Amino acid sequence: MFAKPIPGRITADTEGDVTVLLIGMRINHFWAVHHWLPVLAAMPRMLRELARDQGRGLLGHVLLTASPRTYYVVQYWESKEKLYAYAAAPDMFHHRAWAMVNRKERAGKVRQHVGLWHEAYVVPEGSYESIYVDMPPFGLAAAHGVLPLEKRGRRAADRFAHRSSGAAGGEPRGAAPEVCPAAEAVPAVPRTEEGPVVG
């Protein structure tokens, strides 16, 4: 959260497809604290669980708020397969949390006090690019590592045109990213570093 900014322009060292999950909640009735507080507390618990087992595939995340009612997390995953494997794993908290929601719904105990949502995207290589100016590693760059901007191109069109060696039979997708030696000023970033809450 208090990471030092990297001077100048950098980009994310991302190769291959990118899997992104947006997941969140909306407080529909502030007075129904006993309904929405457990939901609000569930996501940090899941993030801690994933941080303890990086093999599950979560590369990084950013906590955000859209309003005093709406809170969500942008998550970057190794693949959609790992994302859905975590969601369905019976020994993980997400599975138990959804089982509770489903039981309440079947019993008619859901009172619309809290809304839940998620959107999942698999973004093919060539359909994303990034630039960060005087920023610490953030978002996609915190999840995948950073490169000097020149390694991918100063123009957005050049960065969109980048193709990984993995796409041409080189390094496999999902391999741990390396920071370019030219970016010696770039500090190592834990893959699950939490970003700031943005109002």
Side-chain angles (χ1 to χ4, degrees):
M1 185 174 267
F2 300 104
K4 186 177 177 181
I6 299 168
R9 299 179 182 209
I10 57 174
T11 189
D13 185 13
T14 311
E15 301 285 349
D17 298 346
V18 171
T19 300
V20 181
L21 174 71
L22 283 70
I23 185 167
M25 62 168 280
R26 182 184 190 273
I27 300 169
N28 294 331
H29 302 124
F30 280 112
W31 54 267
V33 177
H34 60 293
H35 286 279
W36 59 258
L37 187 59
V39 177
L40 185 65
M43 183 53 66
R45 181 173 172 181
M46 289 180 219
L47 293 171
R48 286 191 303 272
E49 178 178 68
L50 285 160
R52 286 192 300 269
D53 185 359
Q54 292 188 3
R56 294 276 177 184
L58 181 66
L59 300 175
H61 67 276
V62 179
L63 299 170
L64 299 166
T65 180
S67 73
R69 291 183 182 274
T70 307
Y71 301 88
Y72 66 106
V73 184
V74 179
Q75 297 180 353
Y76 302 93
W77 286 79
E78 284 183 32
S79 67
K80 67 178 180 184
E81 291 78 17
K82 287 203 172 185
L83 166 61
Y84 290 125
Y86 169 74
D91 58 327
M92 296 284 104
F93 182 66
H94 178 271
H95 189 270
R96 294 195 306 274
W98 267 107
M100 287 187 298
V101 170
N102 291 336
R103 279 194 301 274
K104 284 184 178 182
E105 197 171 70
R106 282 192 299 271
K109 295 182 179 178
V110 174
R111 301 286 186 254
Q112 300 177 347
H113 297 304
V114 60
L116 302 170
W117 63 276
H118 88 247
E119 299 173 359
Y121 304 93
V122 177
V123 187
E125 187 171 52
S127 298
Y128 59 84
E129 64 89 20
S130 62
I131 185 172
Y132 310 88
V133 181
D134 297 331
M135 284 283 295
F138 183 81
L140 193 61
H144 288 269
V146 301
L147 284 173
L149 192 69
E150 291 75 15
K151 292 289 181 177
R152 295 284 169 83
R154 293 193 64 83
R155 295 175 35 245
D158 296 332
R159 295 188 299 275
F160 272 119
H162 172 78
R163 296 296 180 269
S164 65
S165 58
E171 184 177 313
R173 291 180 180 177
E178 291 184 23
V179 174
C180 175
E184 291 180 23
V186 178
V189 179
R191 291 163 63 119
T192 57
E193 181 180 2
E194 178 178 306
V197 175
V198 177

